[in-house]
């Protein structure tokens, strides 16, 4: 039987040395977690994990985690010394600008224990437009790109796309992947996408990405296009969640208070974050009684639903905003087209496997129905 997998996110600090234009953490009070608080959290969570035989992922998040680097080191040593029998993987998200020699040596010596996510917004020019220092200068040149790729060949580049960089979406994804990163491209939440004006730009960039992935058929799809069209054929479970927020993922703020994820903490949603209690969110499922609930959507299993974004934009974790719903459907169309083109050669020359036949059936359903829903005159 597979082990239970559980992720514990510790928000080490609210402090950050950058001022990104799209940052959703807009309720910062500049505090930091202390070791006593961290130990209290870990004692409860890890004791339960041992009892359940769970595999544990400890995620370090901020703010910028290196502004509380000493606590990160303390937590790591505490877990390794106190729970040697526990299967633990560590992960961290960083802007990469504060890695001096001391930090590089420490992480290099433990690189096999860590998964690294580096925030990079595409090309250096794109990155410097959105990820600025306190002095409003670009931050690309503060990052030792080679250090991250050398120590983590599968390093994730978290690329956030906003309106300013939307015209360069395809260029940014291709640049990061050619550098050697795994591109986790996502759309900024909580902004006005002005789709009446920007939709044509988005469609153009998605078409460019489709051409790129069709030409490079062995290249894994970036996060926003990494969908399995066959999923539309399966029945939707009311208790389905796109991510593990609240169930297999627990997030703790500076004071040790529990949240389903960092996006539903007060750092992201202000005082509204206190409305989420552990027991109620662990019971969360899509309500079929609410007419606007995403639970009614036939595309739910393909949709990269973010409950925090939903809450911030619509006030309801179960309901996506109209603009993000349209953006996600355009991504579904693009992904399905890439899958079709990657299967086309095999369709002509040999028999499809059972799974490939399901993918094709899902593709045809998506390509037939989503354009009509979006009022499109042609498919992507």
């Amino acid at each position: 039987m597979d082990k239970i997998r559980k992720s514990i996110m510790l928000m080490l600090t609210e402090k950050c040395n950058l001022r990104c234009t799209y940052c959703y953490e807009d309720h910062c009070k500049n505090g930091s977690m202390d070791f006593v608080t961290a130990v209290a959290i870990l004692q409860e969570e890890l004791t339960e994990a041992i009892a359940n035989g769970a595999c544990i992922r400890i995620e370090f998040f901020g703010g910028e985690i290196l502004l509380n680097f000493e606590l990160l080191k303390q937590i790591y040593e505490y877990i390794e010394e106190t729970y040697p029998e526990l299967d633990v993987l560590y992960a961290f998200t960083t802007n990469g600008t504060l890695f001096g020699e001391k930090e590089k040596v420490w992480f290099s010596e433990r690189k096999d224990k860590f998964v690294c996510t580096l925030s990079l917004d595409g090309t250096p020019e794109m990155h410097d437009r959105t990820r600025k220092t306190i002095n409003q200068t670009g931050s690309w040149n503060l990052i030792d790109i080679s250090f991250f790729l050398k120590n983590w060949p599968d390093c994730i580049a978290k690329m956030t796309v906003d309106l300013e960089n939307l015209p360069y979406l395809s260029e940014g994804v291709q640049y990061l992947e050619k550098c050697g990163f795994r591109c986790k491209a996502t759309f900024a939440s909580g902004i006005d996408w002005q789709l009446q004006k920007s939709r044509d730009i988005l469609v153009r960039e998605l078409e460019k990405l489709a051409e790129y992935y069709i030409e490079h058929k062995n290249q894994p799809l970036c996060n926003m296009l990494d969908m399995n069209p066959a999923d539309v054929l399966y029945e939707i479970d009311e208790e389905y969640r796109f991510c593990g927020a609240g169930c297999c993922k627990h997030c703790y703020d500076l004071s040790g208070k529990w949240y389903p994820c960092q996006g539903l903490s007060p750092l992201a949603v202000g005082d509204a974050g206190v409305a989420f209690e552990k027991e109620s969110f662990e019971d969360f499922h899509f309500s079929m009684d609410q007419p606007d609930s995403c639970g009614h959507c036939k595309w739910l299993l393909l949709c990269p639903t973010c409950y925090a974004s939903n809450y911030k934009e619509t006030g309801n974790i179960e309901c996506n905003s109209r603009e993000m719903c349209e953006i996600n459907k355009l991504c579904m169309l693009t992904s399905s087209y890439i899958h079709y083109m990657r299967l086309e050669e095999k369709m002509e020359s040999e028999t499809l496997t059972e799974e490939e036949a399901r993918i094709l059936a899902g593709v045809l359903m998506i390509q037939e129905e989503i354009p009509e829903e979006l009022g499109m005159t042609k498919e992507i």
Side-chain angles (χ1 to χ4, degrees), residues 30-305:
N30 289 315
S32 294
M33 182 180 285
D34 59 41
F35 184 60
V36 172
T37 300
V39 168
I41 295 166
L42 293 169
Q43 285 178 339
E44 178 178 352
E45 288 279 5
L46 299 186
T47 299
E48 180 183 335
I50 291 171
N52 294 330
C55 297
I56 290 294
R57 177 183 169 107
I58 303 292
E59 297 188 40
F60 298 111
F61 203 80
E64 169 48 45
I65 61 162
L66 286 198
L67 289 171
N68 203 357
F69 181 47
E70 292 305 315
L71 177 60
L72 187 155
K73 292 192 295 182
Q74 283 182 295
I75 292 171
Y76 173 85
E77 297 299 339
Y78 169 78
I79 295 173
E80 292 295 298
E81 292 174 5
T82 310
Y83 302 94
E85 74 281 22
L86 198 58
D87 184 3
V88 180
L89 178 67
Y90 301 88
F92 67 96
T93 300
T94 179
N95 63 40
T97 63
L98 299 178
F99 276 73
E101 192 59 30
K102 176 182 66 175
E103 292 79 11
K104 289 179 181 178
V105 169
W106 192 89
F107 276 105
S108 294
E109 291 174 349
R110 298 161 179 82
K111 60 186 178 183
D112 293 337
K113 297 283 288 184
F114 280 86
V115 173
C116 173
T117 298
L118 179 63
S119 295
L120 292 174
D121 283 351
T123 66
E125 295 78 15
M126 293 171 65
H127 183 92
D128 284 344
R129 284 191 198 101
T130 53
R131 301 190 63 79
K132 299 179 183 295
T133 67
I134 292 174
N135 296 324
Q136 293 300 295
T137 58
S139 60
W140 180 274
N141 288 333
L142 301 176
I143 306 169
D144 185 349
I145 301 294
S146 61
F147 165 77
F148 291 97
L149 288 173
K150 176 182 177 182
N151 285 281
W152 295 282
D154 58 348
C155 186
I156 299 166
K158 185 179 183 299
M159 173 182 162
T160 303
V161 182
D162 67 354
L163 266 178
E164 194 171 11
N165 273 336
L166 183 62
Y168 315 101
L169 167 59
S170 176
E171 181 184 358
V173 170
Q174 292 184 50
Y175 178 85
L176 291 173
E177 291 187 346
K178 289 172 182 176
C179 284
F181 290 102
R182 292 168 51 204
C183 185
K184 183 179 181 181
T186 57
F187 295 100
S189 63
I191 69 172
D192 180 3
W193 279 98
Q194 304 172 33
L195 282 184
Q196 287 186 330
K197 298 179 181 178
S198 64
R199 177 171 162 168
D200 288 346
I201 298 173
L202 173 59
V203 170
R204 181 197 72 203
E205 292 302 304
L206 291 175
E207 288 176 340
K208 289 180 182 178
L209 280 175
E211 292 173 4
Y212 165 67
Y213 284 118
I214 292 166
E215 182 180 352
H216 300 83
K217 61 181 181 180
N218 294 321
Q219 177 68 40
L221 302 184
C222 66
N223 188 66
M224 64 175 59
L225 298 177
D226 187 16
M227 305 171 183
N228 183 356
D231 286 347
V232 301
L233 306 177
Y234 299 111
E235 185 177 346
I236 297 171
D237 183 345
E238 285 189 22
E239 297 188 3
Y240 166 79
R241 305 185 197 185
F242 173 72
C243 69
C247 50
C248 59
K249 181 176 184 178
H250 290 180
C251 176
Y252 291 89
D253 71 3
L254 313 184
S255 66
K257 183 170 177 58
W258 179 97
Y259 293 93
C261 70
Q262 77 280 4
L264 288 169
S265 71
L267 182 58
V269 295
D271 292 339
V274 302
F276 296 96
E277 296 296 335
K278 185 173 182 179
E279 292 76 16
S280 63
F281 203 90
E282 285 184 332
D283 292 336
F284 158 71
H285 58 86
F286 286 107
S287 171
M288 304 305 286
D289 297 328
Q290 297 186 35
D292 294 331
S293 169
C294 292
H296 293 278
C297 180
K298 69 176 66 177
W299 314 116
L300 179 62
L301 297 182
L302 287 184
C303 186
T305 305

Side-chain angles (χ1 to χ4, degrees), residues 350-368:
E350 55 186 292
T351 304
L352 297 179
T353 66
E354 187 175 332
E355 176 59 22
E356 289 168 339
R358 282 196 293 267
I359 291 173
L360 179 59
V363 165
L364 296 177
M365 181 177 173
I366 293 165
Q367 291 288 325
E368 179 181 353

